[in-house]
Amino acid sequence: MVTDPTGPWPTWRDAWSTALYGPGGFFVRSRPADHFRTSVHASALFADAVHELARRADLRTVVDLGAGGGELLRHLHAADQDLHLVGVDLAPRPDDLPAAVGWRADLPEQVDGLVVANEWLDNIPCDVVEADQDGVARTVHVEPSTGAERLGELCTDPWLGRWWPLSEPGTRAEVGSARDAAWSDVVGRLGRGVAVAMDYGHTMDTRPAFGSLTSYQHGREVPPVPDASRDVTAHVAVDSLPADRVVDQRQALGALGISGERPPLDRAHDDPRGYLRALSTATEAAELTARGGLGDFVWVVSARGVPLLL
Ligand SMILES: C[S@@+](CC[C@H](N)C(=O)[O-])C[C@H]1O[C@@H](n2cnc3c(N)ncnc32)[C@H](O)[C@@H]1O
């Protein structure tokens, strides 16, 4: 890799931002479900759990931040037409969203309700840094159409030394300060309510040595290139986020009544239809709670004026 601090290539953070959210950007013109599968696509049980959390906290408004194709909102609307539902996304409102569901490009000043952000933080662009041959962290710049990289200026963000110190030449990190600021902004808007970010993440003990920057396109993981043809994502440093509680999705869904436990076999004789229904529910729940899969996702929870229910 060439070291050239004066090169014209943008930083990863700038290129990532333009590729996903600029004019013609990936998320502005395509639906997440066409490229990758999240918990909201996997099963309506995820929406059932969100509904149950709102019910237990006595919250009648649910804001889906980074609502994508609106799948979660559609499930919630079908389950409870009295909920006040709002999708927030930079993408245009999906055509097939029920008229009663609101849609906007940014969060309201204050939210009294439940804010859910499933796989939102991992798409917040951040600086990518790499330790040079002297072990000094430098900001990585990228050529947007090819993904070719070169090292630029020293990274002076104090977040890096505190949360993801680098010293071995060639090791890399995604600087989480942009995500921390984005999530602080969300939590700061809560009046009476709960905010939950669900995402794949790491902590000090589990940081990936070479970072986790990658892309998805039409269901496949592909090399990260900020050319607007694919998403750009990196796992979230969940321990630096503001939070009242952090639990994995397996525990969170279990607490909300969703488990992957199979129905007892003898039910197949007494109630074959009921058994098949229960088996299908258990199969979907198993995907949402799987080790090495969606069950390892982290729920980062903050509550204001309501008890912490997870
Ligand atoms: C990975 S998708 C997740 C979609 C959906 N939550 C799901 O689970 O399928 C991330 C979504 O967040 C949206 N997004 C990212 N940053 C945003 C921002 N600052 N404001 C509003 N939406 C944003 C993107 O447009 C995209 O639709």
Side-chain angles (χ1 to χ4, degrees), residues 84-100:
H84 175 226
L85 299 171
V86 183
V88 176
D89 208 293
L90 299 167
R93 177 190 177 91
D95 293 337
D96 49 356
L97 206 59

Side-chain angles (χ1 to χ4, degrees), residues 21 27 32 36 38 40-41 66 68 88-90 105 118-120 123:
Y21 309 115
F27 278 129
F36 47 85
T38 72
V40 308
H41 314 137
V88 176
D89 208 293
L90 299 167
N118 186 56
E119 296 206 31
W120 178 70
N123 287 126

